[in-house]
Amino acid sequence: MSSGIWVLAEHREGALSEATLEVLGEAKRLASLSREEVAAVLLGSQVEALTGPLAHYGADTVYL
């Protein structure tokens, strides 16, 4: 397992929560200061479509 900043992505009815997007933005800011990467963990069934928005909002890696 790598170090870095990890974010657990919350979603409901096919949409990421606003809190997840805010946390990702802050994680990306902190990661740039410490030269780390941001990883998002996305749990659920048929959630692959949410990987794009997670990357857009700052996740370098998304784990399904």
Side-chain angles (χ1 to χ4, degrees):
M1 233 182 232
S2 66
S3 62
I5 300 174
W6 291 62
V7 174
L8 178 60
E10 294 181 349
H11 60 90
R12 178 171 283 184
E13 297 177 9
L16 294 167
S17 72
E18 187 67 30
T20 294
L21 303 179
E22 291 174 13
V23 170
L24 273 173
E26 184 63 11
K28 191 63 174 179
R29 185 186 73 76
L30 292 171
S32 68
L33 295 174
S34 60
R35 296 184 183 161
E36 295 285 349
E37 290 194 352
V38 176
V41 178
L42 182 59
L43 303 175
S45 177
Q46 299 176 347
V47 294
E48 292 81 5
L50 298 175
T51 59
L54 287 170
H56 176 78
Y57 281 93
D60 297 304
T61 304
V62 178
Y63 293 97
L64 295 175

